[in-house]
Amino acid sequence: MPELQSKPETALAPAPVAAEVPSNDAVAKKASETEESKATVVASEKTPVPENKQSSRGSIDRDIALAEVEKEKKLSYVKAWEESEKAKAENRAQKQLSAIAAWENSKKATLEAELKKIEEQLEKKKAEHGERMKNKVALVHKEAGEKRAMIEANRCEEVLKTEEVAAKYRATGTTPKKTIGCF
């Protein structure tokens, strides 16, 4: 802005640039000519037509070529859209499959942890029951030893008693009242 203040007459003078800038009609005409030339080049590449027929038909061939280019353009858009939608569907399916796989892995891990916990509890119970059974076996063994000891003591007492009675019978010369059945 300081340049404009120092030179006020240039800011008020008409700009000669307007003569250099083409009008909108000229730009549109030039753009349509380049599009037409591109269309005819593309059309001539796709459908080879002999030159003598092309010169005789003129605008009809150009319209046909433009229609074909337009048709190919639409088809390419449709194809691009179709590929895009297919890619989206594929990506969506992959995302859902990976989510399901993650969910499955999570549930499996949870169930395996639960199974391991139950197995540990069962192992603990097994150990406790095993210990109880060992204690019961030891108790039975102890009771059996006590009973054996009692029976042995009773046998010893009966042997001593029998020896005393036998000594008494010997000393008195009498025979016992109960005799063994074979004598």
Side-chain angles (χ1 to χ4, degrees):
M1 291 302 277
E3 294 174 3
L4 291 177
Q5 291 176 355
S6 63
K7 299 180 184 178
E9 60 263 357
T10 51
L12 298 176
V17 179
E20 295 174 14
V21 175
S23 67
N24 286 338
D25 293 327
V27 171
K29 188 175 181 182
K30 189 173 182 181
S32 66
E33 286 176 5
T34 57
E35 286 179 11
E36 288 175 4
S37 64
K38 288 179 183 175
T40 55
V41 169
V42 171
S44 65
E45 288 176 2
K46 300 217 179 201
T47 56
V49 178
E51 286 187 34
N52 59 359
K53 287 185 179 178
Q54 200 173 29
S55 63
S56 66
R57 291 188 182 174
S59 66
I60 296 173
D61 288 341
R62 186 180 308 152
D63 291 342
I64 291 171
L66 286 173
E68 286 180 15
V69 167
E70 194 67 31
K71 181 180 175 184
E72 289 175 13
K73 185 178 176 182
K74 286 180 183 179
L75 290 176
S76 69
Y77 283 141
V78 169
K79 186 176 181 181
W81 175 84
E82 179 183 15
E83 290 174 2
S84 172
E85 290 300 312
K86 284 181 180 178
K88 285 180 186 177
E90 186 67 29
N91 291 340
R92 192 177 309 115
Q94 287 298 327
K95 185 177 179 181
Q96 290 173 346
L97 288 175
S98 66
I100 289 170
W103 174 82
E104 180 184 18
N105 290 338
S106 171
K107 292 296 180 181
K108 278 184 181 179
T110 303
L111 292 174
E112 287 174 1
E114 187 176 340
L115 177 65
K116 193 168 235 173
K117 183 179 176 182
I118 290 171
E119 286 175 349
E120 288 174 0
Q121 288 175 349
L122 290 175
E123 286 294 323
K124 186 178 178 183
K125 284 183 180 181
K126 181 180 176 183
E128 288 174 359
H129 285 293
E131 189 67 31
R132 283 189 211 148
M133 291 300 128
K134 287 180 183 177
N135 290 342
K136 285 183 180 180
V137 167
L139 185 62
V140 167
H141 183 70
K142 179 182 172 187
E143 288 178 3
E146 289 174 356
K147 287 181 180 182
R148 282 188 199 107
M150 287 177 60
I151 290 172
E152 186 65 28
N154 286 342
R155 185 186 66 79
C156 287
E157 285 179 15
E158 286 179 11
V159 168
L160 285 174
K161 197 177 199 182
T162 303
E163 287 177 357
E164 288 176 2
V165 172
K168 182 178 165 188
Y169 284 135
R170 282 186 198 108
T172 59
T174 59
T175 57
K177 293 179 183 175
K178 291 182 180 179
T179 59
I180 301 177
C182 54
F183 292 111

